[in-house]
Amino acid sequence: MAALMTAAALLTIGSLHVDVAWGQTKGERQEHSLSRLVHRFTFDEPDNLYNIPKFWVQFPARDHVDPEFPRYAEGFFDSDIGCDEPPSFYLHPKGRSVAFRYIGPNTRIKPGDYLVAGRIRPDRLRYARATISAYYLDWENEVIEGTQRFGRLIGPTDIADSWQEVRVHLPVAPPNAHFVGITCWVVQQDVWMEGIKPHRYISLRDIDGGAWFDDLVVLALPRAILESAHPGNIVERPHAVQLLATVADDDASGLEAVLTVNDQDGVEVFNSDVSVRTFDDEEPDRFSLRNLGPGLYTALMDISSLGEPILRRRLTFAVLGKSQRPRGAVVRQMGVIVTQVRDDQVADQLALVDALGVGAAKLPLWTGDPARPGYEKHRNALHNILDEMVKQRISVTGIFSGPPTDLIRSAGEHARSLLDILSDDPQGWQGLLRSIVAPYASIFHSWQLGRDGDLVFINDDRVPKAFEAVRLELQSMMTVPSMTAVAAASRLPESTALPAQNYSVDLPDDIRPDYIVDHLSPYKSLPYNHIWVSVDAPDTRGFSTSAVLADWAIKVIRTRWTGVETVFVPQLWHTRDILDRALTEPTRSYLVLRTIIDAIGDRPPAYEFNIGKTAKALAFADDRDATVVLWDPAAPAEGRSCAIQLGSASSAIDLCGRSVPLTRTPDGRHELLLSPEPIFVMGVEPWIIAFRSGLRLTPNRINFSYELRSHTLSVANPHRLPISGSIVLTPPVNWELEPRRFRFSLYPNEIQAFDIRLRHPNNEDAGIKTLHAAIELQGQKTYNFDTAVELELGLSDVDVWGYAVTDGDDLLVRHGVTSRAQEVLAFRTFAMYPGRSRQYRVINELLPGQTLTIEYRFHNVQHVSGKNIRLSLQEINGPRMHNLRIVVP
C-alpha cells in the first residue's frame, strides 16, 4: 500500500477543468439525463440501519490482516456535519490508517473517461493525510491493475474547518472495465510519505484526528485528445503547425468543443469548433495554422455539456524561426543536460535537441532517485537516444549523480549516498558500473561523477578516493577513460587536482552577469583538458517572465563570452503524463536558448563596447561575418532609441526569434529600439566592429592635473581594402581639447596616430570620461560612426571611495582611501553638503598599502535622499588632487 500511495498520491491533472454544482443543497439537486452524472454519494441514507454507508466496506478485506490498517480504526455517519448539510462520512484512524472502498452497483460505466470528485474536511490532522482514490473494476469487482489514481493530499496546510475539493481523473476505461471503484483514505506518515525513509526515521502519528467525506460524484467524460503532428511539439517556420483534436463519446448529444490558440502574451490567434463524434467514428479534426510567427503558443480545447464546462485539454507548442545554421550543423560551444530518459520520450527529446543545434549533451545514468525507473528498464531508450546523437555528431557525457536505483531499493531505509558506496569495497558496485560502461565505452565522451552544482561532490574529502576507484574500474574497459569533476563558480578551486580530465563548473543564480568572468577565471587556468560551465534554468516563479528570461539570456551569453569550451543548460522542456501517453512540451526559455545558439553559432567572442551612456554590445565574429548582441539595462520596458553603424546588416531577431525591423538614419546608421531584453543583429561585417573598437586613446588613465596633457589617438584599418575619412572629437563639458578634427588615410592593417592635448576643469569628478567621436569613413561606400573614446580620471596609486548613511537626524559620510604607492603620502580632505559649511580633515601619513577611512557628520539634515555630496583630496606638498561625487541613497 505504501508504495502505491507514494507513486500516485501527488498526481496532478493540469489539463482538466470540471465545474460541479456544489452550491445546491442535497434536497434541491435535480439531475438531467445528459448531465454526465453516473452517481452521487450524499451519504443521506435515512433507511440505512447500519452506521456506515451502504455498499462501503473497510480496507483491507476481512480475511487479510494489515497492522497499518487495523480493524479497530473505523468509519461512521456523522449526522451533525456535512458539506452543504449533514450527514457526512467520517473516518477515524485512531493512531493508524483507515480506508473504506465502495463495491456497489451504482458506478456501472461505459467506454470513455471518468472524473471522481468529492469534498474532504480535515479534523485535527498534523501528520496524517486524507484523500480519495479511484480506479476501474472488472465484472468481479476486482481492481484492474495500473488504473488506480489518487487525488491531492489534504492535511494541515489546508484551511482548518473548511471543505477541500479533491478530483481524480480516470483516463480511457479499458475494455474489461465495468465499474468505477472509489476509496476514501486517512493515512499516517508511514503510508503517504514519498520516497525512502531516512536513516533513524521516527514515525509521527495522529491519534485523535480524522476527516469528513461528503458529496462524492462520478462523472462520465468524453474522450478528448489534443496533440500536434510534430515531435517535441516544435515546428520551424515556414512549415505550418498541424494540430489534431479528438472528441468522442458513446452519446454525443449535448456536447460541444472549441479549440482556441493563444500566443505567449495571451492574445488569441485562432478559434474554431471541434467536431464531437461517437466511438464508432473516432477521427481527429485536423487544423493547419500557417501564419504563426516565432513564439510559444498554448492551445486549449474546452468541452461543455449542456452549456456547462466539463473538460479542458491543454497543449503548449513552439514555432521556431528559420534556422541560420546549415542543416545538420551543430554548435560545439553549447550543450544540454537531459534530466530523464524514457522510452516514450526518445523521439520528442531527439527532436528538441536537434532543433537546438547543440554539439554536446549529458545523459543521466545513475540518478539516486528511487521513484525513477532503473537503468535496466530504460536500456532501450538510452540505446536509441545515444544512437541518434552519435549520428548528429553530438558529444555525450554520462552522469553518475546518485546510487544506482536497484541498489537504493535493496537497501531500503538504510540507503547510502553515492560517495558512501564508491568509498567502500568496489565489488559492491563494479558489476552495476560495468553493465553501463561496457556497452557504451566508445560512445560516451566522458563520465561525470556528481550532478552539476552538487556541493557534496565539491566539499567531501572522499571525492579523490572515489574518483580513483572509478578511474581504475573504467581503465579495465577502455584505454584512456575521460572523467569529469564538478565544481561551483561561487567557490575557489581546490589546490589539489582531482584525477579527472575535465571540470564542469556550475554557475549559481546569485552570480550577476557582469561578474561571471571574474568567477570563472580561476578555473580556466587549471590543468584540465576541458572546462565546461553549467547555467541553471531560469526560475520565473513570482517574477515577470520577460525580465527573468532577459536576465538569464544575458547570463548565458556572458558565459559563452568567457570562451569556455562548452556552456551546458538543463533541458528546457517538461513532460507530463496525460491520458495513456507522455506529453513533452517546450518552455519559453527553450525558445530563448535556441535563438542564442542559432544567432551566435560557433563564432568566437570578439569585441565588447558601450553605446551611449547605458547600452551595451557584445560581438561574436569569425572570418565571414559577425553577430552583435545589443541591450540597454537602464532603458524603460518600451525601449530607448539608439543609432549605431552596423554596416550592411539587414536582419535582426529578438529572444524568441521574431524579426526586429532595421531602419536607418539619414546618415546611414542603423536605428534600433533597445530595451533590457537583448536583440541579435546578424550579418555585420567583422571589420566594422574591429574599426570601432580599434579607436583608442593613450594613456587612457590619468591623474588630476591643472596642466594640458598630451595623448595619442590611434586609428587602425582592419579592412582588406584601403580606407580614408575624418574624425571630429567632442570632449566632455568644460574640457579643453586641441585639435578636434583629423583626417586619415590607411592601407589594410595600417595604424595612424594623432597627437592631442586635453585639460579638465578643476572641479571635475573622478571616474570614466567620454570623448564623443563622429567618424565619416570612405571605403567601397560611405560609413558614418558615432562612437565614444573613454579615459579614466583618478589617482594612479590611490584607490578612493565614499558612501553616506543616515544616523537619526544626522547624515554620516565616510571617505575611504587605500595607498598603492611606494612612499608615504599626505592629503588635506574635505566634504561638501549643499547648504552646509565644508568639513575639513587631514591625513598626515598614508603608508604604503594602508587603508584609512575619514568620517564626516552633518547634524540635523532633512530630505537628504538623492542629494549630491562632494568629497575631495588635495595632496600636501604636491600638485595632485581627487574629486569624488556620491549620491545619498
Side-chain angles (χ1 to χ4, degrees):
M1 175 61 199
L4 183 60
M5 285 291 293
T6 56
L10 298 180
L11 179 69
T12 57
I13 309 299
S15 61
L16 182 65
H17 175 78
V18 177
D19 289 328
V20 182
W22 301 109
Q24 296 172 299
T25 63
K26 295 176 182 178
E28 294 174 342
R29 292 196 180 100
Q30 294 182 353
E31 314 301 354
H32 193 282
S33 61
L34 297 179
S35 67
R36 324 296 298 177
L37 183 72
V38 175
H39 189 67
R40 184 187 301 274
F41 298 88
T42 65
F43 302 114
D44 185 10
E45 302 176 8
D47 57 342
N48 187 355
L49 301 180
Y50 295 94
N51 199 30
I52 62 173
K54 194 180 299 183
F55 302 118
W56 287 80
V57 297
Q58 191 166 359
F59 171 89
R62 290 190 177 275
D63 56 347
H64 291 82
V65 178
D66 188 334
E68 187 56 52
F69 290 82
R71 304 309 304 180
Y72 62 76
E74 60 180 342
F76 51 83
F77 286 114
D78 190 326
S79 59
D80 296 324
I81 294 177
C83 180
D84 297 328
E85 58 186 38
S88 62
F89 188 25
Y90 185 84
L91 299 191
H92 189 196
K94 296 184 177 181
R96 288 290 180 175
S97 298
V98 61
F100 278 78
R101 58 175 295 210
Y102 178 76
I103 60 170
N106 296 320
T107 58
R108 180 73 184 274
I109 61 171
K110 300 176 182 179
D113 292 13
Y114 289 84
L115 172 76
V116 177
R119 296 283 185 158
I120 301 176
R121 177 178 166 182
D123 176 27
R124 294 168 293 167
L125 294 185
R126 293 185 299 168
Y127 310 113
R129 300 290 186 269
T131 189
I132 61 175
S133 70
Y135 38 86
Y136 289 117
L137 301 170
D138 61 18
W139 190 251
E140 302 297 329
N141 262 328
E142 294 294 331
V143 178
I144 298 176
E145 185 178 356
T147 64
Q148 183 164 222
R149 302 286 190 273
F150 284 83
R152 67 186 182 97
L153 297 173
I154 303 297
T157 58
D158 297 288
I159 302 174
D161 299 326
S162 67
W163 290 90
Q164 304 293 319
E165 182 182 353
V166 177
R167 297 173 178 174
V168 182
H169 179 223
L170 291 176
V172 191
N176 59 334
H178 290 273
F179 302 95
V180 168
I182 305 171
T183 303
C184 297
W185 307 82
V186 178
V187 290
Q188 301 291 345
Q189 200 175 68
D190 282 345
V191 178
W192 67 261
M193 181 176 284
E194 186 176 7
I196 300 297
K197 307 299 188 297
H199 186 50
R200 296 180 179 176
Y201 162 75
I202 298 176
S203 174
L204 300 175
R205 297 174 177 269
D206 287 329
I207 303 300
D208 299 324
W212 291 274
F213 294 78
D214 198 6
D215 210 8
L216 273 63
V217 296
V218 180
L219 294 175
L221 302 176
R223 183 175 301 166
I225 302 173
L226 177 61
E227 57 189 349
S228 77
H230 314 285
N233 290 306
I234 54 172
V235 59
E236 183 178 318
R237 283 176 56 86
H239 299 293
V241 176
Q242 303 291 334
L243 296 181
L244 286 73
T246 303
V247 181
D249 198 28
D250 62 336
D251 183 0
S253 303
L255 287 175
E256 295 179 345
V258 177
L259 176 65
T260 305
V261 178
N262 300 323
D263 66 14
Q264 61 194 30
D265 298 319
V267 178
E268 183 179 301
V269 297
F270 180 80
N271 184 287
S272 177
D273 292 333
V274 179
S275 302
V276 180
R277 305 175 188 270
T278 63
F279 290 134
D280 296 332
D281 185 28
E282 189 178 341
E283 286 292 330
D285 283 5
R286 296 177 177 270
F287 301 92
S288 182
L289 286 65
R290 296 186 175 278
N291 298 317
L292 298 182
L296 196 70
Y297 294 85
T298 301
L300 300 172
M301 185 169 67
D302 290 294
I303 304 169
S304 58
S305 174
L306 302 177
E308 292 294 326
I310 61 169
L311 186 61
R312 164 173 283 184
R313 291 283 183 255
R314 172 173 55 86
L315 174 69
T316 301
F317 64 90
V319 177
L320 311 178
K322 185 173 176 57
S323 177
Q324 305 293 321
R325 295 174 289 107
R327 188 158 192 83
V330 295
V331 178
R332 297 289 175 195
Q333 290 79 6
M334 297 297 300
V336 64
I337 305 172
V338 179
T339 57
Q340 187 176 11
V341 178
R342 288 174 32 173
D343 294 318
D344 53 1
Q345 285 184 273
V346 171
D348 290 329
Q349 290 185 334
L350 285 171
L352 288 159
V353 171
D354 180 54
L356 280 177
V358 295
K362 294 183 181 181
L363 298 180
L365 300 177
W366 293 348
T367 64
D369 185 354
R372 290 186 180 180
Y375 158 73
E376 292 296 334
K377 183 173 179 58
H378 287 309
R379 180 191 293 269
N380 288 337
L382 182 63
H383 177 80
N384 292 335
I385 200 169
L386 276 173
D387 186 52
E388 290 301 319
M389 285 185 172
V390 169
K391 293 178 182 178
Q392 296 175 15
R393 299 181 298 111
I394 295 176
S395 174
V396 186
T397 295
I399 303 180
F400 300 99
S401 58
T405 301
D406 297 337
L407 207 56
I408 296 177
R409 290 172 178 165
S410 63
E413 64 181 54
H414 302 292
R416 299 186 300 163
S417 70
L418 179 58
L419 271 179
D420 292 334
I421 294 170
L422 295 180
S423 301
D424 208 344
D425 188 348
Q427 291 185 356
W429 49 267
Q430 282 175 335
L432 293 170
L433 184 69
R434 288 174 182 171
S435 66
I436 294 179
V437 175
Y440 305 114
S442 61
I443 296 178
F444 280 97
H445 173 263
S446 182
W447 310 88
Q448 178 174 313
L449 283 191
R451 185 181 62 255
D452 287 281
D454 188 350
L455 295 181
V456 172
F457 274 85
I458 298 173
N459 299 328
D460 201 298
D461 294 336
R462 297 172 295 171
V463 171
K465 180 181 177 181
F467 262 88
E468 183 61 24
V470 174
R471 187 188 67 81
L472 290 174
E473 187 61 31
L474 291 175
Q475 205 165 20
S476 67
M477 291 175 278
M478 60 189 75
T479 306
V480 183
S482 176
M483 297 184 63
T484 299
V486 296
S490 56
R491 299 164 180 256
L492 288 174
E494 297 290 337
S495 57
T496 303
L498 292 172
Q501 288 68 45
N502 317 308
Y503 232 144
S504 184
V505 185
D506 182 68
L507 198 64
D509 287 335
D510 55 358
I511 295 180
R512 301 299 304 153
D514 291 343
Y515 300 99
I516 289 175
V517 172
D518 297 333
H519 281 83
L520 294 183
S521 292
Y523 288 94
K524 292 185 64 177
S525 60
L526 293 178
Y528 289 90
N529 295 343
H530 308 289
I531 300 295
W532 304 327
V533 177
S534 63
V535 180
D536 293 340
D539 183 0
T540 58
R541 293 173 296 180
F543 301 95
S544 166
T545 303
S546 296
V548 171
L549 288 178
D551 186 71
W552 180 78
I554 294 170
K555 191 173 183 179
V556 174
I557 295 166
R558 282 282 189 189
T559 306
R560 173 81 163 74
W561 175 262
T562 63
V564 295
E565 183 160 347
T566 305
V567 180
F568 283 93
V569 175
Q571 66 176 48
L572 301 174
W573 58 83
H574 55 79
T575 300
R576 54 190 174 98
D577 292 316
I578 178 70
L579 300 178
D580 57 347
R581 68 198 70 192
L583 184 63
T584 303
E585 299 169 303
T587 62
R588 192 168 168 184
S589 49
Y590 175 88
L591 275 168
V592 172
L593 182 63
R594 198 265 188 176
T595 301
I596 293 173
I597 295 174
D598 202 49
I600 296 175
D602 55 3
R603 298 176 182 85
Y607 303 100
E608 178 178 5
F609 54 92
N610 295 328
I611 308 167
K613 293 183 179 181
T614 58
K616 300 179 180 296
L618 292 173
F620 295 81
D622 54 24
D623 295 336
R624 304 183 308 275
D625 63 358
T627 294
V628 182
V629 189
L630 305 106
W631 74 98
D632 188 344
E638 63 272 15
R640 178 185 292 142
S641 182
C642 168
I644 180 174
Q645 179 59 254
L646 295 173
S648 59
S650 57
S651 65
I653 56 175
D654 66 7
L655 278 182
C656 289
R658 296 172 296 196
S659 177
V660 174
L662 284 181
T663 60
R664 292 185 181 268
T665 61
D667 62 3
R669 292 176 296 162
H670 289 85
E671 191 168 27
L672 300 169
L673 192 64
L674 299 185
S675 71
E677 182 176 308
I679 63 172
F680 305 83
V681 180
M682 295 164 290
V684 181
E685 297 100 314
W687 74 267
I688 289 182
I689 307 300
F691 176 82
R692 178 192 182 99
S693 301
L695 193 66
R696 301 181 183 276
L697 194 66
T698 308
N700 61 356
R701 181 169 182 172
I702 59 174
N703 292 322
F704 282 85
S705 173
Y706 296 110
E707 305 296 329
L708 275 170
R709 292 179 174 272
S710 295
H711 296 265
T712 300
L713 179 69
S714 301
V715 185
N717 178 15
H719 198 19
R720 57 183 177 81
L721 300 174
I723 60 174
S724 61
S726 62
I727 302 175
V728 178
L729 288 179
T730 302
V733 178
N734 297 325
W735 282 52
E736 295 181 33
L737 171 62
E738 300 177 353
R740 298 195 176 198
R741 182 180 295 273
F742 311 89
R743 292 201 60 83
F744 60 88
S745 180
L746 300 170
Y747 289 104
N749 300 319
E750 185 181 1
I751 298 175
Q752 191 170 352
F754 301 95
D755 293 328
I756 64 172
R757 291 184 295 171
L758 278 170
R759 178 158 54 195
H760 61 79
N762 295 338
N763 61 350
E764 186 67 32
D765 298 322
I768 302 295
K769 306 300 171 182
T770 300
L771 280 70
H772 175 263
I775 305 172
E776 185 180 272
L777 186 150
Q778 288 86 34
Q780 291 179 309
K781 60 181 181 179
T782 300
Y783 299 88
N784 285 283
F785 292 81
D786 191 1
T787 185
V789 182
E790 295 182 345
L791 75 159
E792 183 178 357
L793 181 61
L795 292 177
S796 59
D797 54 4
V798 179
D799 295 330
V800 185
W801 71 95
Y803 64 91
V805 294
T806 55
D807 183 15
D809 292 333
D810 295 350
L811 179 65
L812 192 64
V813 180
R814 289 190 173 94
H815 190 187
V817 292
T818 298
S819 174
R820 292 186 283 105
Q822 300 300 316
E823 66 277 357
V824 177
L825 303 177
F827 293 98
R828 185 169 184 249
T829 76
F830 73 80
M832 186 170 63
Y833 180 80
R836 297 297 181 92
S837 300
R838 294 184 180 184
Q839 293 188 21
Y840 291 90
R841 303 286 188 271
V842 175
I843 301 176
N844 289 317
E845 287 187 338
L846 182 63
L847 303 177
Q850 185 181 15
T851 297
L852 291 177
T853 303
I854 306 103
E855 187 174 288
Y856 309 91
R857 183 179 291 271
F858 294 91
H859 296 285
N860 299 320
V861 293
Q862 297 179 350
H863 309 297
V864 297
S865 180
K867 294 292 182 66
N868 289 317
I869 299 174
R870 185 179 177 191
L871 303 174
S872 184
L873 297 173
Q874 178 65 58
E875 189 174 26
I876 298 175
N877 299 324
R880 300 189 303 169
M881 58 179 293
H882 186 282
N883 296 323
L884 177 65
R885 189 181 303 274
I886 63 174
V887 179
V888 181

